[in-house]
Amino acid sequence: MKQLLYCLLVVLFAPPLNAADSRFNMTTGVTEISGKVYHLHMTILYICCAIGLVVFGVMIYAMINHRKSKGAVAAHFHESTKVEIAWTILPFIILILMAIPATKTLIAMEDTSNADITIKVTGSQWKWHYSYFDQDIDFYSILSTPRTQIDGSEPKSEYYLLEVDKPLVVPINRKIRFLMTSEDVIHSWWVPAFAVKKDANPGFINEAWTRIDKPGIYRGQCAELCGKDHGFMPIVVKALPEAEFDTWIAEQKQAAETAAATAKAALSQTLSQADLMTQGEQVYMARCAACHQPNGEGLKGVFPSLKGSPIATGPITPHLEIIIHGKAGTAMQAFANQLTTQEIAAVTTYERNAWGNNMGDAVQAKDVNEYMNGGGQPQTSTAQTQQVAALATEPSTQATSIDPASLPTLSHEALMTEGEAIYTSSCAACHQLNGSGIPPAFPSLVNSKIVTGPIASHIDIVMHGKTGTAMQAFDKQLSPQQLAAVITYERNAWGNNTGDTVQASDIVRHGQ
């Protein structure tokens, strides 16, 4: 019997005793807090093992020595007051013993006071934005794993999906305070070596801190399911000795001055379309391909296609507008602070000439700068006037003085493509992606009398809404071209097939 119990002790305690050296166990990390978390984890593990030993030991002893074959008769003590008190008090004491060190560690993890450095961490799909308070330094950190490795055409590197173009650089032996937030969905900034894992919520600020004991490169990931490229949002932190960090700060400020001078010099340069396409492809693959895909076809119903898109094949002005300022209510971010004017010019040129778009445009950095400063408009390949180009992004109520005859005429296919994107972002929340609505709150658009009836009635309800219902007026939210596109889409999607093609000129005439 004693030999059996000794064997049981070995079986139960061997795993936790060897856990410290196991690659499957939590590591001690490189901070004081991570060490406390590790020791707390091991303490709780030992307590759990001891409880398991006692419980299973009693069970095994009872099964061996009080089995039926030995003539044992079961005792009836399920209403024993002493037993009830014992198995209530003992777990309570155990939980208190576990709660005391856990509470101390949690309080220490939340104490962000007296920080030496404060860094704002902003998550967005799918990259991190770091801003150093009081240093005027900020940058985006983006996955740098080559697309060829992701596609499987090249062998994967040692740090596959755990490498970035610009790591977060911090000093050792200084208390670093992190302010976590998000631009879009919920992300989570997690670096195991620091024992830091904090959610980044849009509209809120969460706090965390660390003090790193030794230099090195430490890696983590977004630990929240933040969208299709959740697994492509790594974190790399480079911890430097204090003197080296101070040198890095000075270098960053000098690099910012150099970048500003380079950007200024780019305004006087005129690059060939080939050079712009080469640079534009690099920018597109790093910043845009995650949503719009390397082939420019996007993801239907989520990220619109750029191949044959009215934006990429229409006037240059609205194309620059959406790249520079993004689009509210969609996943399209503003890249004004993420890319230089040269990079914006290059990626715009690339999108307008790749995948068979072949617009022939070569947008220059000076064109982007003039547009951002309101000093001019780039020339369009279709020779539309500035007034017409501006109309593409202006609400329809601001365009009623425009001559309808001067507006561009788009193909039915182009209107359907743009209309689907607008419907998905502005209408599908109520009327559903398949147009079936949620009766009676939101009526179905499939074979609807409005959608399959007179076009004028359809335009009127989309532009001006309907009093007493949830139907909003979109004349101040969408441009005439966008209104025309979404109406064309609704009249031909889901089997409606009216064959109607509504143009921006029809919207302007209706408003007049």
Side-chain angles (χ1 to χ4, degrees), residues 271-285 287-288 292 306-326 332-333 335-336 339-369 371-372 377-381:
L271 301 183
S272 67
Q273 188 188 73
D275 290 338
L276 288 166
M277 288 291 289
T278 300
Q279 182 182 8
E281 182 177 15
Q282 295 173 351
V283 176
Y284 180 88
M285 296 304 292
R287 304 299 186 103
C288 315
H292 296 291
L306 298 182
K307 183 178 180 180
S309 161
I311 288 291
T313 60
I316 295 178
T317 302
H319 195 172
L320 288 176
E321 171 70 21
I322 200 167
I323 292 175
I324 293 170
H325 300 299
M332 181 61 194
Q333 303 174 28
F335 284 90
L339 301 176
T340 65
T341 55
Q342 183 60 64
E343 290 172 328
I344 293 174
V347 77
T348 305
T349 300
Y350 178 74
E351 292 176 352
R352 298 182 70 80
N353 293 281
W355 320 300
N357 288 345
N358 300 334
M359 295 302 295
D361 299 315
V363 183
Q364 301 294 337
K366 61 183 178 182
D367 299 325
V368 178
N369 183 66
Y371 178 78
M372 294 176 69
Q377 305 288 346
Q379 295 298 314
T380 66
S381 59

Side-chain angles (χ1 to χ4, degrees), residues 26-169:
M26 180 182 291
T27 64
T28 55
V30 292
T31 68
E32 180 184 357
I33 287 294
S34 65
K36 288 182 178 180
V37 171
Y38 171 80
H39 292 302
L40 174 64
H41 160 73
M42 296 305 297
T43 299
I44 301 301
L45 175 62
Y46 293 140
I47 291 174
C48 291
C49 288
I51 293 172
L53 175 64
V54 171
V55 172
F56 284 100
V58 172
M59 287 175 59
I60 293 171
Y61 177 82
M63 287 187 290
I64 293 174
N65 292 281
H66 299 282
R67 62 187 185 274
K68 185 178 181 180
S69 63
K70 295 185 68 172
V73 178
H76 297 281
F77 53 87
H78 60 279
E79 294 181 357
S80 170
T81 302
K82 292 180 180 180
V83 172
E84 295 284 352
I85 292 175
W87 68 35
T88 300
I89 295 298
L90 286 177
F92 177 76
I93 293 173
I94 293 171
L95 289 174
I96 291 298
L97 292 176
M98 295 167 68
I100 291 173
T103 302
K104 289 181 178 179
T105 302
L106 287 172
I107 290 174
M109 291 174 70
E110 296 298 322
D111 181 16
T112 61
S113 61
N114 301 318
D116 299 307
I117 299 173
T118 298
I119 299 175
K120 181 182 177 183
V121 180
T122 305
S124 63
Q125 296 175 310
W126 286 275
K127 51 183 169 282
W128 297 102
H129 182 203
Y130 300 116
S131 301
Y132 293 69
F133 281 25
D134 301 325
Q135 295 294 344
D136 196 26
I137 295 174
D138 71 284
F139 55 87
Y140 286 84
S141 181
I142 302 172
L143 174 75
S144 62
T145 297
R147 177 63 58 174
T148 49
Q149 291 186 20
I150 297 173
D151 295 339
S153 57
E154 284 187 6
K156 294 175 173 49
S157 63
E158 179 183 1
Y159 296 110
Y160 174 69
L161 298 185
L162 289 174
E163 49 199 343
V164 298
D165 58 349
K166 294 181 180 180
L168 175 66
V169 179

Side-chain angles (χ1 to χ4, degrees), residues 13 62 232 235 252 297 438:
F13 275 92
F232 298 82
I235 300 160
Q252 293 304 299
E297 294 182 357
I438 308 177

Side-chain angles (χ1 to χ4, degrees), residues 361-426:
D361 299 315
V363 183
Q364 301 294 337
K366 61 183 178 182
D367 299 325
V368 178
N369 183 66
E370 288 174 0
Y371 178 78
M372 294 176 69
N373 293 319
Q377 305 288 346
Q379 295 298 314
T380 66
S381 59
T382 54
Q384 286 136 322
T385 63
Q386 293 182 8
Q387 184 181 42
V388 174
L391 176 62
T393 56
E394 292 295 331
S396 62
T397 52
Q398 299 180 33
T400 53
S401 60
I402 299 297
D403 180 10
S406 67
L407 298 175
T409 299
L410 302 183
S411 68
H412 183 83
E413 290 73 20
L415 287 165
M416 288 292 289
T417 300
E418 182 177 5
E420 182 178 13
I422 295 167
Y423 179 88
T424 300
S425 63
S426 301

Side-chain angles (χ1 to χ4, degrees), residues 440-503:
F442 306 109
S444 171
L445 299 183
V446 180
N447 294 321
S448 161
K449 292 182 179 179
I450 288 291
V451 173
T452 60
I455 295 177
S457 299
H458 194 174
I459 294 175
D460 191 71
I461 198 168
V462 173
M463 288 184 66
H464 304 124
K466 186 176 181 181
T467 305
T469 72
M471 181 61 193
Q472 305 174 41
F474 284 89
D475 58 343
K476 294 182 180 179
Q477 302 181 42
L478 302 176
S479 70
Q481 182 172 305
Q482 291 170 327
L483 290 169
V486 76
I487 292 170
T488 299
Y489 177 73
E490 291 176 352
R491 297 183 72 82
N492 292 278
W494 320 301
N496 288 341
N497 300 335
T498 64
D500 297 318
T501 301
V502 182
Q503 299 291 345

